[in-house]
Amino acid sequence: MKRCIIFILLVFSSIAIHAQTLMITDIESGEPLVLVTINNHDGTLIQFSDINGKADLTKFKDQNWIKISYVGYKNLETSWDNLVQTNFNVSMTPSLNELDQVVVSATKWSQSGRNIPFKISSIKAKDIAFQNPQTAADLLGFSGKVFIQKSQQGGGSPMIRGFATNRLLYAIDGVRMNTAIFRSGNIQNVISLDAFATESAEILFGPGSVIYGSDAIGGVMSFQTLATKFASDDKRLFSGGSTARYSSANQEKTAHLHFLLGGKKWASVTSVSYNDFGDLRMGSDGPDEYLKKLDVVRQDDKDVVVVNKDSLVQSPSAYSQLNLMQKISFKATEKTEIQYAFHYSATSEYARYDRHIRYRNDQPRYGEWNYGPQKWMMNQVNVLHTGSGKFYDHLVLRLAHQAFEESRIDRDINRPTRHIRTENVGAFSANLDLTKTIGTNSKLIYGIESVINDVQSEGIDEDIIKNTSVKGPSRYPQALWSSYALYASYDHKISDKFMIQGGARYNYFTMIADYDTTFYPFPFVQSTLNNGALTGSLGVVYRPITSTVIMANLSTGFRSPNVDDSGKVFDAIDGFVTVPNPNLRAEYAYNAEIGIVQVFNDRVRLDGSLYYTKLKDALVRRPFQLNGQDSIIYNGEMSKVEAIQNAAEATVKGAQIGLEIKPGLGFSLTSSYNIQKGEEELDNGGISPSRHAAPNFGTTTLSWTKKQLTIALSSMYSDGKSFDELPIEEQNKPEIYAKDDNGKSYSPSWTIFNIKAQYRLSKHWDINIGMENISDLRYRPFSSGIVAAGRNVVAAASVKF
């Protein structure tokens, strides 16, 4: 009998202890919410939920007022007695007021979006998991606010508000990815990032040069990778996940694994992903000009043109990729944390598809045109410190070294010489960022930055018949590019309804380049560049009522000339060659924007923004002379000489509109639409549409969530461009466009429909299945070299542990 009583007491005791552990989940998906804040009325008690959505509320016993809050969700106000009645289980409802989201990209520090006078779009971890993007470029495209151009399957060049390539900035965990060889032509560096290892991504629209420096003219894409997590008690933390995925349009086979280890002092996260993509299949319904009718194969030491067995298959376009990430964190003291991160990405060699469909005399021009393996490695050390408040409240020192390798391999059809151009960039950076609260209504964010890029370029010409090789001209000079900057940003809350933010940055940049005159008669063997740039921003946020937000800002951005601008030798178009020009200065962007967000009954959210950007002293290609000659021999062909010059002005104006409706019962409707029109000045004084101003585009999604199941039907769409609406440069690329009734190139409009579903089989297992481009439309996004995927069935299985 005594043992029985003891047993009953132990059971009730364990129930009581369990009842004091609060479980917090998302009301729609049932997923646990991490780092939810729980506090009492006077703030003397505070607790956070752990990685499993649980929080120990023992010290809150008998409290009459308990607040549960989480960014992006409606606040809950309850009491201890009410929690007892719910068995200490609460579900939180997402809020439509996106300005309450935490954002990082605006200042590199986590802060509420309600205080940001700029438009920022966030892509959350659950959105990434549901969409299952094949690459980081696709991840951005699914947002509906970034237009993605692809020259080949192993590509993805974002376009934002009429700007692209080296007029946009990429940041990974606060470190700039842009290098001194980021070019004005389409780039694919974003695919080096692993979508599986991305915890969240943010897009800051408009100039962001005050915080990020050169290149942040059209916007900033900030990626936060998987973070380490410390254990909240003596029990070690261990969790992770794995995913396997297959896609039918390119026979994709992908595997991913990540796991976290956490103690009170040490924590780590490890991530590994491997992708194998076959040749991409286009849709069956669309322009015949897009069909891949011919292939080039090597037979008996000759290039032979053969009929493609399946003209819907874009051969060659296959490639594979490996991504690795390792992070380790050490909590040295209560106020100091040291973090180390290692990132590595490497692709296989892959074809530049748009060059394989370039013809001369009705025959393919090239026997081969490939990018060599694209490699990226970053070692990063962060030191985080909480100060006493005298000079700073929080400090982050970021030290990083990145190594980039890229190469180009091309050979004209039935020519023995294979041209191999290889570039290696060592990028060293140091950032010191600090925050200081001033009084109760103001905050100062300030810092310094140093960036050094060491560019090494090599050229090799191989004779594939004789199996010999000799030194060839390099794509770039051997160069050292440096940037040094200091910045400050000040936020001041004038009242509960009105906030103002201003900032300024001074950047000093230098470049020393050594040229090899063995192959080209450059009139110089060395060039130097020393210049500075001052930029600033001023913005206001006005909230007349809690459901209305009005934002406005004036900002400037700049891009300093890099090695690609001043030192490149490259044929952009047949019959033309771009040569070095050391006499360049920075280009400046001047931007004005106004935006509004209106929430109706927390069920409908409408937002819109208007912007205007003027680019002065734009770095553009223009006719040039080399030693008094307007044409030189390049790769055995007489070519007209061009060079990058500060020779134009450009303007972009547009609007972004967003709508989100949550009528209840798990339904949600979201839609975004982007309007942009860009113009740039020509050499003859005329005006051409801007190359990187995409057609109007958008996306609409209707989704339904009920506990373990989420289903979404979405549409992605884009306007077209007639021949006269195409930029002059694009009019000279007939191989990538359809033909109108007059035989002229044009870019057709398109609309595709997708359906996707995610089902949680258990606490540990999820399955995703979907069909993209249901109608099997054959379409090519504006300016893209490769045709988009046709009907594509995607299936994935994920396990969490």
Side-chain angles (χ1 to χ4, degrees):
M1 182 64 179
K2 183 178 180 181
R3 290 182 180 180
C4 182
I5 294 173
I6 293 174
F7 175 75
I8 293 172
L9 290 174
L10 287 173
V11 169
F12 276 97
S13 175
S14 65
I15 291 174
I17 293 173
H18 176 75
Q20 293 169 5
T21 300
L22 180 65
M23 180 68 191
I24 311 169
T25 58
D26 182 294
I27 194 170
E28 295 177 349
S29 67
E31 289 289 312
L33 298 178
V34 183
L35 294 179
V36 176
T37 303
I38 305 105
N39 62 272
N40 64 348
H41 192 271
D42 57 10
T44 56
L45 299 176
I46 189 168
Q47 186 61 279
F48 300 94
S49 62
D50 62 17
I51 195 170
N52 297 310
K54 296 180 179 180
D56 183 1
L57 291 195
T58 304
K59 56 187 178 182
F60 285 82
K61 183 173 173 55
D62 296 328
Q63 288 287 322
N64 294 323
W65 190 91
I66 298 174
K67 182 179 179 181
I68 303 172
S69 58
Y70 190 51
V71 174
Y73 286 76
K74 295 180 182 179
N75 293 336
L76 290 177
E77 294 181 2
T78 184
S79 66
W80 177 268
D81 291 339
N82 287 339
L83 291 176
V84 170
Q85 293 178 12
T86 63
N87 200 24
F88 286 83
N89 287 293
V90 298
S91 296
M92 301 190 71
T93 303
S95 170
L96 275 182
N97 195 342
E98 191 176 280
L99 288 180
D100 286 335
Q101 301 290 327
V102 167
V103 296
V104 177
S105 57
T107 61
K108 294 187 184 177
W109 296 94
S110 296
Q111 63 184 123
S112 172
R114 68 168 59 234
N115 298 324
I116 306 299
F118 307 98
K119 181 175 177 60
I120 295 178
S121 178
S122 299
I123 306 172
K124 306 177 187 66
K126 65 178 183 179
D127 301 323
I128 299 172
F130 181 78
Q131 292 292 350
N132 250 318
Q134 290 190 348
T135 69
D138 296 332
L139 181 157
L140 293 169
F142 280 130
S143 72
K145 299 177 180 65
V146 179
F147 192 91
I148 302 296
Q149 181 277 352
K150 292 187 179 183
S151 295
Q152 62 281 328
Q153 186 176 197
S157 188
M159 296 182 182
I160 299 176
R161 289 191 172 183
F163 295 100
T165 61
N166 55 16
R167 291 183 179 131
L168 300 176
L169 188 128
Y170 304 83
I172 297 88
D173 293 333
V175 177
R176 62 179 286 135
M177 189 185 202
N178 296 42
T179 72
I181 64 170
F182 265 41
R183 56 190 181 274
S184 59
N186 297 307
I187 60 176
Q188 59 267 10
N189 297 76
V190 71
I191 71 168
S192 292
L193 305 179
D194 184 5
F196 284 109
T198 301
E199 198 162 76
S200 65
E202 295 173 8
I203 306 147
L204 185 152
F205 296 91
S209 288
V210 167
I211 302 298
Y212 292 95
S214 178
D215 305 0
I217 288 179
V220 175
M221 291 158 286
S222 176
F223 296 83
Q224 289 78 50
T225 59
L226 295 175
T228 57
K229 292 180 174 63
F230 291 100
S232 57
D233 50 35
D234 293 331
K235 186 178 179 181
R236 291 190 178 275
L237 181 152
F238 176 73
S239 64
S242 181
T243 299
R245 184 178 63 218
Y246 170 82
S247 300
S248 64
N250 56 1
Q251 304 296 304
E252 177 209 12
K253 294 172 281 292
T254 285
H256 164 77
L257 171 68
H258 74 271
F259 57 89
L260 297 89
L261 295 170
K264 279 196 168 183
K265 287 282 189 179
W266 292 88
S268 74
V269 57
T270 304
S271 175
V272 182
S273 299
Y274 180 78
N275 312 92
D276 181 60
F277 305 111
D279 289 330
L280 183 64
R281 184 180 184 86
M282 68 180 79
S284 60
D285 181 20
D288 288 344
E289 292 89 353
Y290 294 171
L291 296 173
K292 183 64 161 58
K293 298 177 181 179
L294 301 177
D295 266 342
V296 177
V297 296
R298 192 75 178 164
Q299 294 179 355
D300 300 325
D301 289 336
K302 292 183 179 180
D303 293 321
V304 179
V305 179
V306 298
V307 176
N308 192 358
K309 295 179 181 179
D310 188 343
S311 59
L312 298 180
V313 176
Q314 300 176 86
S315 172
S317 60
Y319 78 103
S320 60
Q321 181 168 336
L322 173 68
N323 279 86
L324 306 173
M325 187 190 78
Q326 177 64 57
K327 288 185 178 182
I328 299 173
S329 297
F330 172 61
K331 191 178 292 185
T333 68
E334 285 299 317
K335 293 186 176 183
T336 304
E337 182 180 334
I338 301 172
Q339 303 171 342
Y340 167 74
F342 169 78
H343 298 264
Y344 178 76
S345 173
T347 70
S348 63
E349 185 174 299
Y350 56 96
R352 178 167 174 175
Y353 182 79
D354 62 342
R355 294 303 172 93
H356 285 264
I357 56 175
R358 182 171 288 184
Y359 285 72
R360 177 187 287 171
N361 300 323
D362 296 325
Q363 293 291 305
R365 173 180 172 176
Y366 294 100
E368 54 183 297
W369 212 119
N370 299 326
Y371 285 111
Q374 176 175 293
K375 299 179 181 179
W376 169 65
M377 181 176 69
M378 180 167 75
N379 287 277
Q380 178 184 3
V381 174
N382 296 338
V383 179
L384 293 77
H385 185 258
T386 300
S388 61
K390 185 175 182 180
F391 298 106
Y392 63 89
D393 299 323
H394 301 282
L395 170 153
V396 176
L397 173 65
R398 295 181 177 92
L399 304 174
H401 171 258
Q402 299 177 78
F404 299 82
E405 180 181 320
E406 59 184 56
S407 57
R408 293 158 179 82
I409 306 161
D410 70 90
R411 182 179 57 81
D412 284 353
I413 193 167
N414 282 318
R415 296 285 182 88
T417 304
R418 175 187 290 144
H419 309 287
I420 304 174
R421 305 294 180 258
T422 304
E423 284 72 54
N424 286 276
V425 179
F428 305 84
S429 63
N431 294 78
L432 180 63
D433 301 301
L434 308 97
T435 67
K436 172 75 172 78
T437 300
I438 302 173
T440 58
N441 295 322
S442 301
K443 176 182 284 189
L444 175 67
I445 298 172
Y446 62 104
I448 57 176
E449 177 187 73
S450 174
V451 178
I452 300 173
N453 281 196
D454 181 13
V455 178
Q456 300 294 318
S457 186
E458 179 186 36
I460 296 176
D461 291 339
E462 289 184 348
D463 189 314
I464 65 172
I465 301 297
K466 298 179 181 178
N467 199 26
T468 59
S469 63
V470 296
K471 181 181 178 181
S474 62
R475 179 180 171 91
Y476 297 114
Q478 315 310 308
L480 194 68
W481 182 93
S482 304
S483 170
Y484 308 95
L486 55 89
Y487 77 92
S489 178
Y490 182 73
D491 300 354
H492 179 64
K493 182 180 178 183
I494 298 175
S495 68
D496 290 338
K497 296 182 178 182
F498 196 80
M499 197 218 100
I500 187 168
Q501 181 188 84
R505 179 189 185 100
Y506 179 75
N507 233 101
Y508 181 74
F509 47 90
T510 69
M511 185 176 70
I512 301 175
D514 296 315
Y515 296 86
D516 185 351
T517 58
T518 303
F519 301 95
Y520 301 112
F522 300 135
F524 44 80
V525 294
Q526 187 181 79
S527 67
T528 60
L529 178 68
N530 297 276
N531 216 325
L534 178 65
T535 54
S537 66
L538 179 65
V540 296
V541 178
Y542 176 56
R543 303 176 71 102
I545 55 178
T546 57
S547 59
T548 302
V549 181
I550 300 172
M551 303 168 290
N553 72 79
L554 299 172
S555 57
T556 61
F558 79 99
R559 187 173 75 82
S560 61
N562 63 20
V563 177
D564 184 87
D565 296 313
S566 64
K568 177 175 64 177
V569 177
F570 180 63
D571 62 326
I573 302 174
D574 284 353
F576 293 83
V577 60
T578 301
V579 299
N581 177 17
N583 301 311
L584 298 176
R585 58 188 181 276
E587 58 182 11
Y588 280 86
Y590 301 88
N591 181 78
E593 178 179 359
I594 186 168
I596 185 169
V597 178
Q598 180 66 56
V599 178
F600 303 93
N601 298 322
D602 212 27
R603 290 188 179 274
V604 178
R605 182 182 190 275
L606 181 66
D607 69 88
S609 58
L610 299 172
Y611 61 89
Y612 177 86
T613 305
K614 188 177 186 67
L615 187 66
K616 300 197 69 174
D617 289 331
L619 294 163
V620 294
R621 271 197 301 268
R622 290 289 185 262
F624 197 67
Q625 288 190 346
L626 192 61
N627 287 335
Q629 298 178 330
D630 62 5
S631 299
I632 62 172
I633 299 295
Y634 177 75
N635 280 351
E637 179 180 338
M638 182 61 71
S639 302
K640 292 184 178 180
V641 175
E642 295 183 325
I644 301 294
Q645 302 172 54
N646 293 101
E649 291 188 357
T651 59
V652 180
K653 54 188 175 182
Q656 292 178 289
I657 304 167
L659 174 67
E660 186 172 0
I661 302 174
K662 287 185 177 292
L665 301 177
F667 285 97
S668 175
L669 175 70
T670 60
S671 186
S672 63
Y673 194 64
N674 306 271
I675 303 168
Q676 50 276 314
K677 182 179 181 181
E679 295 179 336
E680 62 182 46
E681 183 183 5
L682 296 175
D683 187 46
N684 60 9
I687 298 296
S688 169
S690 173
R691 178 187 176 191
H692 292 134
N696 300 339
F697 70 97
T699 182
T700 299
T701 302
L702 175 64
S703 64
W704 176 74
T705 299
K706 186 67 174 178
K707 295 301 181 183
Q708 295 93 343
L709 178 64
T710 297
I711 301 174
L713 176 65
S714 65
S715 174
M716 302 176 71
Y717 36 88
S718 169
D719 286 352
K721 284 182 181 279
S722 67
F723 179 81
D724 292 333
E725 292 172 325
L726 288 177
I728 298 298
E729 186 175 345
E730 295 298 297
Q731 292 177 2
N732 296 318
K733 300 176 182 177
E735 66 271 13
I736 66 173
Y737 290 104
K739 296 292 186 290
D740 62 19
D741 294 338
N742 297 317
K744 292 185 176 182
S745 299
Y746 82 107
S747 179
S749 62
W750 51 267
T751 301
I752 64 168
F753 296 92
N754 314 307
I755 186 168
K756 294 185 177 181
Q758 182 181 57
Y759 185 73
R760 195 167 74 251
L761 293 170
S762 67
K763 180 181 178 181
H764 300 289
W765 284 94
D766 289 342
I767 59 170
N768 289 65
I769 189 166
M771 180 180 292
E772 300 169 345
N773 192 2
I774 296 172
S775 63
D776 203 29
L777 184 70
R778 186 187 309 145
Y779 72 102
R780 176 181 261 138
F782 168 70
S783 190
S784 291
I786 196 164
V787 182
R791 184 181 296 119
N792 184 32
V793 176
V794 182
S798 301
V799 60
K800 299 176 184 178
F801 51 85

